Amino acid sequence: MAEEFMNNNNEEDNTSGINIKEEILNYLHYWKWFVLCFIIGITAAFLYLRYTPEIYSSYAKIKILDESKGLELSPQVGGAMFSEAKSLENEIQIIKSNRLLAKVVDSLDLHIRYFIQGQFTEKEQWKGALKLVYLKPNNQITGATFNIEITDNGLNISKGKDHLNEFSIKGYNLNSPKEGFPFLIQSESWIKKHVGLTYIVTVQSISSAANNLANAISVGKVGTTDILQLSIAGENRERSEDALNKIVEQFNEDGVIDRQLVFQRTIDFVDDRFVYLAAELDSIEVGKKDFQQDNELVTFSADVGYSMGKRISSEDAVIKLENQIALAKLLEEPLANNDLSALMPENVGLESANTNGIVSQYNTIVLQRENLIASAGEQNPMVVALNRQLLDLRGNLKVSLNSYFKQLNTSLNSLQKEEVTAKGLVRGMPVKEKILRSIERQQNIKENLYLLLLQKREEAAINLAITSPSVKVVEYASSSGRPVSPDAKGIYMKSILGALLLPFGILFLVFKADTKINDKTDVLKLSSRVPLIGEIPELKNGHRLFENPHDRTVLAESFRILIANLKYTLAPKQNSEAHIVYVTSTIKGEGKTFVSVNLSLALSSINKKVLLIGADLRNPKIDVTDGSKKAKGLSNYLLEPDSDWRTYLQKSTYNVNYMDVLTAGTIPPNPTELLSNGKLKDLIDEAKGLYDYIIVDTAPIILVSDTLLISQYADATVYVTRAGVTEKKLLGFSRELYDNKKLNNMVYVVNSISDSKNSRGYGYNYGYGYGYHQEKRGVKKYSWNWFKDGIKDKIRKF
């Protein structure tokens, strides 16, 4: 049943909300914790900053010069072979490469570090008075630490933290290495100013130092520009700046060497090609000469002109001869005609002077003949003589034409042969031209390549002599004026925050783990509808009873206040009957018997007749009588049929005139049956007319049902809770009893509230001790013991 009520204990929690002021006061109650942790945090931060080496940031800025390298034969070939666009990401990887940084480390001896030993820390030196020169090859360097103490007479040298292989030298220079110490020492003259100091020299391999430098250096773009910023953080600003400047110098030098190497390889390549091209050119020129000689070529254009001219002249001569033959044939037709009166064609273009002369003479005689015939007739001797002449001329003309025909045919045959020869020459010229042009093309290619390589060789030689830098230094290395680590402001802020969060976290866990009630605020928060009429302080001095009616202790005052508040809950009685007040609790150990006894004593102190009944038959605790707790009492009265309860009454040890006690008596085996047999009602009815108050100490409700069996007889039920004992979840059970009216006029009392439990910040000494202590009104006098008691109590409950 208890678990059921515990699970239903969220109704009022959900409506109560969070009281910020109350929570703040709850934590401020332990302000000394916060102050102590604050001081510890500030001290820790100060010591951390005091003995932590300061780290400075150094940076340099460079711009990569994007220049083409090598030969540029053509946009296609040169771009693929000799020019490659630079990528900033590639350059960053080159800068952070182990190869480049190893050169930097070796050049500056960054693998050898010097520290001056202090009382708590070591301070790094750079370019100090002491310098070690390593004699072994770099690849034999291994990690080692040496201690070099500077004395008035010289140097004391040892190895490692255990100071092994210790030896001393006179003076401050070492010109020959010692066993286990492969170094030379070169010291400045002002090293004597450092007498008494101890140098700690650490030596590591160059590759290891280069890896450390690569991890320490940061390279990135500056905004959206193509400028790179190199940064490094270190204890010694000068060392970091020298390292950055050397990295930039080495990167530029490597770039220059790379480009010079390209130029030198270009020159070597061109020189090798010159030998090959010269041999090829000689071979081509010899082949061209042999071809021209074999084909009787002087120059192609001249030979073509000659061949074409010869062909054309042959064709013209043939045509001319054929024309002469045709013209000569024109004369054969008149010769075939025997008419002597017909004239011969004259001046038709024949080139035969003999034939032309005969034709001219013939025509002259024909004309003479015709004239004579016309005047003298055909029989005229002169006409006859002319006829004979004409016949002779005809015969001569035939002979002349035949001779001319033979001459023309002979010449025609000869010219036709020449024409065929000329045509053959012209027909063979394209083939010769193709061969010659191929030879000349090879010759031109080799010559152009030779000239181009010669030009590029000169360019490469010039570039080799005047190689431009790879980078432009935008800013040389510089360092920040203030250290970037440790961040003093941040360290202090974090220390303060951590110092405050530590007690806050502990208290938060303690408060969250605290499932017990601590004061009335917890009770009111969880059961706000149930009235709370009193708070009983925790007693640490052993006086747990209201012994003296005139007692002015905190306990007495708290019960006087309880009585005053209780009266407001009790309804007025007719005929001056007694008020019946039950005192109960949820579980054992919450102080219900303590409250019952002291409530009875407090009422009797104001001269009220009080009867205290011990109704917790299972676990009787009342002990304020002269008799024994085992004396007969209520259980005996309830068990014996004809017994009188008055015979079992005992007088209280304190205030005997106004207080009677009826103890629980012998522990019965069946308390539930006894309490429900009706005799208790008879007892109460009879006692009402004899007493002013009847206080009944009942059994815990959640454990047994005894109290609920007799709850109807009560005018008021004082429900006792105890700070640090009562679980908050158990209040749900009591609240359920109140809501269901199972207990009459139920009110709360919070027991055992101590100063260490008033975590809400209210001083209970104001209410309970006003006028009775030396404390000022409303002012709580805290002490360290009070603080420790509060913490111990919280930890105990946690």
Side-chain angles (χ1 to χ4, degrees):
M1 181 176 66
E3 292 181 358
E4 178 182 355
F5 289 118
M6 291 178 189
N7 294 333
N8 295 328
N9 191 29
N10 294 323
E11 178 181 353
E12 297 199 13
D13 290 346
N14 296 335
T15 60
S16 61
I18 297 176
N19 190 329
I20 298 178
K21 179 179 178 181
E22 180 182 330
E23 292 296 328
I24 293 176
L25 291 175
N26 196 17
Y27 286 97
L28 287 180
H29 178 68
Y30 301 95
W31 62 271
K32 290 185 179 181
W33 263 37
F34 290 94
V35 172
L36 177 62
C37 291
F38 176 82
I39 295 174
I40 293 175
I42 291 293
T43 304
F46 174 78
L47 294 176
Y48 176 80
L49 294 173
R50 174 66 178 81
Y51 296 108
T52 300
E54 294 180 339
I55 304 299
Y56 295 87
S57 178
S58 304
Y59 63 90
K61 295 180 181 179
I62 61 174
K63 176 178 172 57
I64 307 296
L65 300 180
D66 188 9
E67 296 184 358
S68 60
K69 302 184 296 183
L71 295 176
E72 294 180 359
L73 298 178
S74 66
Q76 295 79 14
V77 179
M81 293 179 60
F82 300 102
S83 63
E84 182 179 350
K86 290 185 178 179
S87 170
L88 289 180
E89 292 298 329
N90 294 339
E91 302 302 332
I92 291 174
Q93 295 303 318
I94 293 174
I95 291 174
K96 298 182 70 174
S97 65
N98 188 279
R99 179 192 61 82
L100 187 143
L101 295 180
K103 295 180 180 179
V104 175
V105 170
D106 187 32
S107 176
L108 296 179
D109 288 337
L110 296 178
H111 58 293
I112 303 176
R113 305 184 68 176
Y114 306 84
F115 299 88
I116 293 181
Q117 185 176 18
Q119 186 175 2
F120 297 101
T121 60
E122 300 171 354
K123 186 175 182 180
E124 185 173 7
Q125 297 291 302
W126 178 250
K127 296 181 179 179
L130 188 69
K131 181 180 180 182
L132 272 64
V133 179
Y134 196 73
L135 295 181
K136 291 185 177 180
N138 291 334
N139 55 6
Q140 296 183 10
I141 295 178
T142 57
T145 301
F146 298 95
N147 308 299
I148 303 178
E149 181 183 0
I150 303 174
T151 64
D152 292 330
N153 298 325
L155 302 176
N156 293 333
I157 303 172
S158 60
K159 185 176 182 180
K161 294 182 179 180
D162 298 332
H163 299 277
L164 303 175
N165 302 327
E166 185 173 1
F167 65 93
S168 300
I169 62 172
K170 291 184 178 181
Y172 304 103
N173 293 289
L174 180 63
N175 297 322
S176 59
K178 299 289 186 178
E179 182 179 357
F181 188 76
F183 297 93
L184 302 181
I185 299 179
Q186 299 174 356
S187 301
E188 301 290 344
S189 59
W190 47 274
I191 194 174
K192 294 182 179 180
K193 298 179 181 179
H194 295 170
V195 170
L197 295 180
T198 299
Y199 274 87
I200 298 177
V201 183
T202 61
V203 183
Q204 60 182 153
S205 64
I206 290 180
S207 60
S208 177
N211 290 331
N212 294 338
L213 183 59
N215 294 330
I217 191 173
S218 175
V219 185
K221 292 174 60 177
V222 179
T224 58
T225 66
D226 57 352
I227 294 176
L228 295 180
Q229 176 173 294
L230 289 71
S231 59
I232 189 173
E235 297 180 32
N236 193 289
R237 286 178 284 186
E238 294 182 356
R239 183 177 185 271
S240 299
E241 291 172 5
D242 289 348
L244 286 177
N245 288 330
K246 189 62 180 179
I247 290 172
V248 173
E249 178 184 345
Q250 188 64 49
F251 177 70
N252 178 56
E253 182 180 343
D254 280 9
V256 170
I257 292 175
D258 289 343
R259 282 187 289 170
Q260 285 181 339
L261 181 61
V262 172
F263 297 143
Q264 184 60 52
R265 287 181 177 176
T266 301
I267 294 174
D268 296 340
F269 171 77
V270 171
D271 289 341
D272 292 340
R273 291 295 297 172
F274 277 166
V275 176
Y276 173 74
L277 289 176
E280 284 194 339
L281 282 174
D282 289 342
S283 175
I284 291 171
E285 289 176 352
V286 170
K288 180 181 178 181
K289 181 196 69 172
D290 295 341
F291 179 76
Q292 287 178 327
Q293 288 179 348
D294 294 341
N295 291 275
E296 297 180 351
L297 296 176
V298 179
T299 61
F300 180 75
S301 58
D303 290 340
V304 169
Y306 169 76
S307 299
M308 290 298 297
K310 188 174 182 180
R311 176 182 175 181
I312 292 171
S313 63
S314 298
E315 290 177 351
D316 292 341
V318 170
I319 293 172
K320 186 178 180 180
L321 290 175
E322 289 178 347
N323 289 334
Q324 291 296 316
I325 292 173
L327 292 174
K329 288 181 176 180
L330 291 175
L331 296 178
E332 287 183 346
E333 294 179 2
L335 290 177
N337 187 5
N338 293 321
D339 187 7
L340 296 178
S341 298
L343 294 174
M344 292 289 182
E346 185 180 3
N347 297 326
V348 293
L350 290 176
E351 293 180 354
S352 175
N354 185 32
T355 302
N356 288 332
I358 295 173
V359 170
S360 176
Q361 184 179 2
Y362 180 84
N363 288 333
T364 302
I365 294 174
V366 169
L367 290 175
Q368 290 178 0
R369 176 179 176 275
E370 288 296 323
N371 289 330
L372 287 176
I373 291 175
S375 61
E378 292 181 0
Q379 297 301 325
N380 189 303
M382 292 185 68
V383 172
V384 173
L386 289 174
N387 288 335
R388 286 195 298 269
Q389 289 182 1
L390 288 174
L391 292 173
D392 292 336
L393 288 174
R394 278 178 174 267
N396 292 334
L397 183 58
K398 288 182 179 179
V399 172
S400 177
L401 284 176
N402 289 331
S403 176
Y404 189 53
F405 275 127
K406 290 180 180 180
Q407 179 183 354
L408 289 176
N409 288 327
T410 302
S411 298
L412 180 61
N413 291 332
S414 177
L415 288 176
Q416 286 178 342
K417 291 179 180 179
E418 290 181 2
E419 182 182 11
V420 172
T421 302
K423 287 181 178 181
L425 290 175
V426 173
R427 190 181 300 110
M429 289 307 295
V431 177
K432 296 178 181 179
E433 180 184 14
K434 179 181 178 182
I435 297 173
L436 184 60
R437 285 187 180 277
S438 176
I439 296 173
E440 290 178 346
R441 182 168 56 251
Q442 292 295 325
Q443 183 181 16
N444 291 333
I445 290 174
K446 301 301 181 181
E447 288 177 350
N448 291 334
L449 183 59
Y450 187 89
L451 294 176
L452 177 63
L453 291 177
L454 183 61
Q455 176 186 355
K456 294 304 177 180
R457 187 185 187 284
E458 294 301 317
E459 292 176 358
I462 294 173
N463 289 329
L464 180 63
I466 55 170
T467 304
S468 60
S470 299
V471 298
K472 178 181 180 180
V473 179
V474 180
E475 289 184 15
Y476 285 99
S478 60
S479 301
S480 57
R482 294 182 179 181
V484 295
S485 175
D487 180 11
K489 184 177 179 181
I491 294 297
Y492 276 114
M493 292 297 293
K494 292 177 182 178
S495 298
I496 294 173
L497 181 61
L500 296 179
L501 287 178
L502 178 62
F504 176 82
I506 294 176
L507 291 175
F508 177 81
L509 294 176
V510 170
F511 293 155
K512 289 300 180 182
D514 185 9
T515 60
K516 309 292 195 306
I517 64 171
N518 293 292
D519 52 30
K520 67 177 183 180
T521 57
D522 290 335
V523 178
L524 293 176
K525 184 186 297 184
L526 298 171
S527 298
S528 60
R529 295 191 299 273
V530 182
L532 191 149
I533 63 173
E535 298 175 275
I536 311 301
E538 182 182 20
L539 300 177
K540 298 181 180 180
N541 55 8
H543 299 288
R544 301 181 56 82
L545 295 177
F546 197 127
E547 299 175 353
N548 187 353
H550 305 289
D551 198 350
R552 312 303 287 271
T553 62
V554 175
L555 176 67
E557 289 302 319
S558 64
F559 276 98
R560 289 190 180 100
I561 294 174
L562 177 59
I563 291 173
N565 293 334
L566 181 61
K567 289 180 178 180
Y568 287 104
T569 65
L570 294 172
K573 288 281 189 175
Q574 297 180 357
N575 302 325
S576 300
E577 290 184 346
H579 292 285
I580 295 90
V581 179
Y582 280 14
V583 180
T584 187
S585 64
T586 306
I587 59 175
K588 177 184 176 182
E590 291 179 311
K592 64 177 181 57
T593 302
F594 167 74
V595 173
S596 302
V597 172
N598 282 285
L599 180 61
S600 301
L601 291 173
L603 289 170
S604 65
S605 70
I606 58 176
N607 300 328
K608 298 292 184 181
K609 290 286 290 181
V610 179
L611 172 60
L612 174 60
I613 300 176
D616 187 358
L617 303 182
R618 303 172 187 272
N619 188 25
K621 291 291 184 180
I622 295 177
D623 187 17
V624 289
T625 63
D626 292 334
S628 171
K629 290 191 294 183
K630 297 182 179 179
K632 292 184 177 182
L634 179 62
S635 62
N636 302 96
Y637 163 72
L638 296 176
L639 181 63
E640 299 174 5
D642 299 326
S643 60
D644 185 358
W645 59 272
R646 295 177 185 84
T647 61
Y648 300 110
L649 291 179
Q650 301 182 52
K651 286 295 182 181
S652 170
T653 306
Y654 313 100
N655 206 357
V656 296
N657 296 325
Y658 292 94
M659 180 175 171
D660 293 330
V661 180
L662 180 60
T663 61
T666 305
I667 298 176
N670 55 345
T672 302
E673 296 178 4
L674 294 178
L675 291 173
S676 61
N677 63 11
K679 296 191 67 175
L680 179 62
K681 181 179 183 303
D682 297 337
L683 185 156
I684 293 174
D685 289 340
E686 293 177 10
K688 282 182 181 180
L690 303 176
Y691 296 94
D692 296 316
Y693 290 91
I694 299 175
I695 308 300
V696 182
D697 178 26
T698 65
I701 293 182
I702 201 171
L703 301 178
V704 293
S705 62
D706 297 356
T707 302
L708 295 177
L709 293 175
I710 59 175
S711 62
Q712 66 272 18
Y713 308 136
D715 295 324
T717 303
V718 176
Y719 202 102
V720 179
T721 61
R722 185 173 182 177
V725 175
T726 303
E727 292 282 347
K728 294 178 181 179
K729 292 183 178 181
L730 292 179
L731 290 179
F733 175 71
S734 61
R735 186 177 67 243
E736 189 72 18
L737 295 175
Y738 177 83
D739 293 339
N740 295 331
K741 302 187 183 302
K742 292 183 179 182
L743 296 178
N744 294 336
N745 202 9
M746 174 181 157
V747 293
Y748 278 130
V749 169
V750 182
N751 181 32
S752 191
I753 293 182
S754 67
D755 288 340
S756 63
K757 293 185 179 73
N758 80 28
S759 59
R760 304 302 189 265
Y762 304 111
Y764 290 102
N765 274 24
Y766 177 79
Y768 302 144
Y770 174 61
Y772 309 111
H773 296 276
Q774 295 178 354
E775 298 175 1
K776 294 183 180 180
R777 180 175 181 177
V779 179
K780 175 71 175 133
K781 290 185 177 180
Y782 296 102
S783 65
W784 179 247
N785 291 331
W786 161 84
F787 177 71
K788 291 191 294 182
D789 291 341
I791 298 302
K792 288 179 180 178
D793 183 72
K794 288 292 181 184
I795 294 175
R796 175 181 59 81
K797 291 190 295 180
F798 175 73

